[in-house]
Structure formats: structure tokens, C-alpha cells
Amino acid sequence: MKPDLFQAPDYYLLDDLLSEEHKLVRDAARAWVKRDVTPIIEEFAQKAEFPKQLIKGLAEIGGFGPYIPEEYGGAGLDQISYGLIMQEIERGDSGVRSTSSVQSSLVMYPIWKYGNEEQRKKYLPKLATGEFIGCFGLTEPDFGSNPSGMISNFKDMGDHYLLNGAKMWISNAPFADIAVVWAKNEEGRIHGLIVERGMEGFSTPETHNKWSLRASATGELIFDNVKVPKENLLPNKSGLGAPLGCLDSARYGIAWGAIGAAMDCYDTALRYSQERIQFDKPIGATQLQQKKLAEMITEITKAQLLTWRLGVLRNEGRATTAQISMAKRNNVDMALTIARDARQMLGGMGITGEYSIMRHMMNLESVVTYEGTHDIHLLITGMDVTGFAAFK
């Protein structure tokens, strides 16, 4: 087991823009990742198994709903703190960050924003401690980038709703206690429903044979005449804007998280370049390798500045969906490019589990696709600047 020697790059002294609370929150998450995540994550990725022993620690560092008010079990932190936690967790592994951000932004967020007081008090404290794990059911087998076409539906049966349909590519599904599910009512209007494990007709088969996010549990949600109590309907927002509002929060977290993966790849490649001797000198002393490293730190720095500014706008309630899309798309693409260049710098060693780079690269192939593909986010920016929708 190799020691975790990670040192975070801060080329433009961005720490000066963070409050003392921001740095305390980040450093606590960083220390936890070094102690509890990196020593075991390669083993769990090789086994294609989620390390459930991390759930307690994720809760303790604020990884579940850090911006949820304290009265509901959250830490009451701001959006930059949330982003920094996601950055540090994804520095460890994208799959572990997926569990954290799904719980925070796709389960706790809609219950907090769209639920009633009874729902908030019933679910949020248990989700904050990790006693409950949640998942988010939007994507369907035939409707990913076009979620408005979903066929999952529910009917009013008088004293309950009857839910039918299926969702796929759902993080946390195989072991989730609850699912926030989006389905159409009899008028075709999209609503959120809280579905609990154990409800008859509700099953969560696991998705196997993944080459990406191997340390994350992915599955399906199957609804076969599931009786959902009427009090489990989220009452305060409906329509496609409701799940998309959750995705804004999650995509914002991804924008920060991708920086963590990029930092880890850069730091690994930098250290390797100083130690690996070829032709009687360290490879870091050659022009080609310096070019790669210089481009990596430049792109990381640009992403840090972009995302910090987005966090300020989120704190002020001024960040737009299109701005969040830009950051998600840019930062994940940046991280994927850095992972690929770092892998090349390590040569054959770069494909082994002795280093984190290949795992990050495989993980990022999912991150660049989920919660809005690379191309869809491009079209969101295009629509925002031109005023024309070009999705079809």
C-alpha cells in the first residue's frame, strides 16, 4: 500500500480567496480521503465493489447535504464549501463522489426544496448521517438526454398512487433506502415521488460489467404496480424544471469534483517526472514532458478560477443553469485530457493499479456523459448565447 503523498496545486494562490471556514472544511475532507479512501480504493475498484465502510466518514466530513440547514441535520455550509468537499472526495475517486453528490443534490436537495415540512423532518436527518442512502430516478432506457419523453407514470387510485416504469444508470440504486423518482401523472405532468425500499413491486437490480466507476454501485429502478402513499409526493414543484433544478446543484458539484481528479493526475505525473530517469536524467527535465505539465497546471488553474467564481454566484443566487453547464463541461473535459496526458507520462506504469491515473481516466468517461453529456452542455451554452435551441 503506497503512501498518499498528494499535494494540491494552487498556482494562482486561490487559497487567498477562501475563508478560514472554507479551508477548514476542505482540509478535513482532504485528511479523510488520505486516511480512509486512497489506501483502499484501488482494491475496491478492482473488485467492482462500493466500499460501504466509507458512508460514515462521508457523513462526518459533511459529504451528505453540507448546504442543508442544520435544523434538518445538514451542516448549513455555503456553496463553495460544498464544492471543495466534492473536489476532495473526487480526488480520491469519482465513484465515491457520485455517492456523495447524488445523496446531497439529487435526494436531499429536492426533499428540502420541493418537499413539505413533514417530509423534510422524516428523511433529511437520516440522509445527513448516512443512516439512509438515497438515489435519483430520472434517466430511462430510452430517454437520457431527452428526459421529458419519460414513460414512467403514476395513477391516482384514491388512497394511494400506482407507479409503473423503469429507470437505469442509477448511482446508489442497489443499496439505496429511498429513491426520489420522477414520473408523469395522468395529465402528463412530471412529479417527484419518494419511493422506499420494501414497497411491493419495487426492485433495484445492479448493473455489472462496467469499466468505469467500478467502485460505485450502479443499478436500475423497476416499478411494477408500486403503491406509493400520497404523502410521498413532493408537493412544492412539478414539471421538468423540478428535476433539472436538482441537476443544477449536482452539476455544480461535478464541476468542482473534476478538478480534484485532475489535481490527482497532475500531482502523480509531476512527482513521477521528477523521479523517473531516462537517458541519464529525470523525464521532467525534457521539453515534451514539461509541455504536458505546464499545460496541465494552466488548465487546472483556469478551472479553479472558473469554478470559484461560479461558487460566488451560487452563494448570491445569481448562477444560471447555462453557467453551471459551461463549468461542468469545461472541467470534466479538462480533467479527462489531463488524465490521458498523465497516463502517457507514466508509460506502461500508467495502466497499473499502482497509480490512480487509469482509474481516474476510466471514471471520467462516465462523468463526461452523466448529468448532461459533453455535447448537450455545448448546446445549452449555444442556446444561451444565440437564443436558438438546436437540440433536435
Side-chain angles (χ1 to χ4, degrees), residues 188-207:
R189 183 76 175 172
I190 295 171
H191 289 265
L193 298 159
I194 301 171
V195 181
E196 300 179 20
R197 184 170 296 281
M199 289 181 175
E200 188 174 353
F202 175 41
S203 58
T204 59
E206 186 164 2
T207 303

Side-chain angles (χ1 to χ4, degrees), residues 8-20 22-23 26-27 30 84 87 263 304 308:
D10 184 12
Y11 202 74
Y12 263 42
L13 308 181
L14 266 76
D15 267 20
D16 291 353
L17 299 175
L18 303 178
S19 69
E20 288 306 310
H22 292 150
K23 287 182 274 193
R26 180 201 61 197
D27 292 348
R30 183 173 294 168
L84 288 166
Q87 171 186 284
M263 284 174 154
Q304 288 173 321
W308 173 80

Side-chain angles (χ1 to χ4, degrees), residues 57-361:
L58 279 169
E60 290 172 349
I61 64 166
F64 296 146
Y67 50 78
I68 300 293
E70 292 181 60
E71 63 184 297
Y72 303 120
L77 299 173
D78 73 350
Q79 289 293 302
I80 291 176
S81 292
Y82 167 52
L84 288 166
I85 292 169
M86 295 302 105
Q87 171 186 284
E88 296 305 314
I89 295 173
E90 190 144 1
R91 202 280 294 182
D93 187 74
S94 300
V96 178
R97 197 270 308 143
S98 293
T99 291
S100 178
S101 62
V102 166
Q103 181 95 330
S104 298
S105 291
L106 302 183
V107 181
M108 298 178 74
Y109 180 90
I111 293 173
W112 173 44
K113 286 292 188 179
Y114 311 150
N116 57 35
E117 194 66 10
E118 182 180 349
Q119 291 166 340
R120 295 182 193 113
K121 289 180 176 176
K122 179 179 179 181
Y123 295 108
L124 291 178
K126 291 183 178 180
L127 289 163
T129 62
E131 181 182 346
F132 279 2
I133 294 294
C135 64
F136 176 84
L138 181 63
T139 297
E140 296 189 357
D142 295 318
F143 297 97
S145 295
N146 179 26
S148 62
M150 70 173 65
I151 58 175
S152 293
N153 65 89
F154 63 97
K155 295 179 180 177
D156 190 334
M157 305 304 289
D159 61 345
H160 65 273
Y161 297 120
L162 199 64
L163 175 64
N164 281 283
K167 306 290 183 178
M168 71 182 306
W169 305 120
I170 309 301
S171 296
N172 301 352
F175 58 84
D177 300 286
I178 67 169
V180 173
V181 178
W182 301 93
K184 291 179 177 177
N185 65 9
E186 290 159 279
E187 289 75 45
R189 183 76 175 172
I190 295 171
H191 289 265
L193 298 159
I194 301 171
V195 181
E196 300 179 20
R197 184 170 296 281
M199 289 181 175
E200 188 174 353
F202 175 41
S203 58
T204 59
E206 186 164 2
T207 303
H208 296 289
N209 298 322
K210 297 181 300 176
W211 287 114
S212 182
L213 295 181
R214 288 174 60 82
S216 175
T218 309
E220 301 173 59
L221 304 177
I222 309 295
F223 313 107
D224 183 8
N225 289 322
V226 179
K227 293 181 178 179
V228 181
K230 286 197 165 180
E231 60 265 27
N232 284 30
L233 180 83
L234 297 176
N236 292 332
K237 192 172 179 64
S238 63
L240 189 59
L244 293 184
C246 306
L247 288 170
D248 273 356
S249 181
R251 290 164 176 167
Y252 167 75
I254 290 171
W256 280 92
I259 295 173
M263 284 174 154
D264 198 57
C265 292
Y266 165 77
D267 183 65
T268 301
L270 175 62
R271 189 174 297 107
Y272 189 85
S273 77
Q274 294 164 336
E275 298 169 353
R276 175 65 168 167
I277 306 297
Q278 288 288 283
F279 302 105
D280 302 320
K281 64 180 179 181
I283 63 171
T286 65
Q287 290 184 0
L288 284 177
Q289 305 310 319
Q290 287 191 9
K291 175 181 183 293
K292 290 185 178 74
L293 291 165
E295 289 175 342
M296 288 181 197
I297 190 59
T298 301
E299 294 306 313
I300 287 171
T301 300
K302 286 156 64 176
Q304 288 173 321
L305 288 162
L306 177 74
T307 314
W308 173 80
R309 178 58 183 163
L310 184 61
V312 172
L313 293 173
R314 288 276 290 176
N315 280 339
E316 296 173 351
R318 295 198 293 147
T320 67
T321 293
Q323 288 169 336
I324 294 166
S325 278
M326 177 184 282
K328 191 271 186 182
R329 179 181 181 274
N330 178 82
N331 291 8
V332 178
D333 182 64
M334 171 275 299
L336 199 46
T337 299
I338 285 176
R340 289 168 177 161
D341 285 346
R343 207 292 304 160
Q344 288 193 46
M345 288 185 65
L346 268 67
M349 292 306 296
I351 71 164
T352 71
E354 186 174 349
Y355 296 93
S356 61
I357 293 172
M358 193 72 183
R359 175 172 49 82
H360 282 308
M361 191 195 308

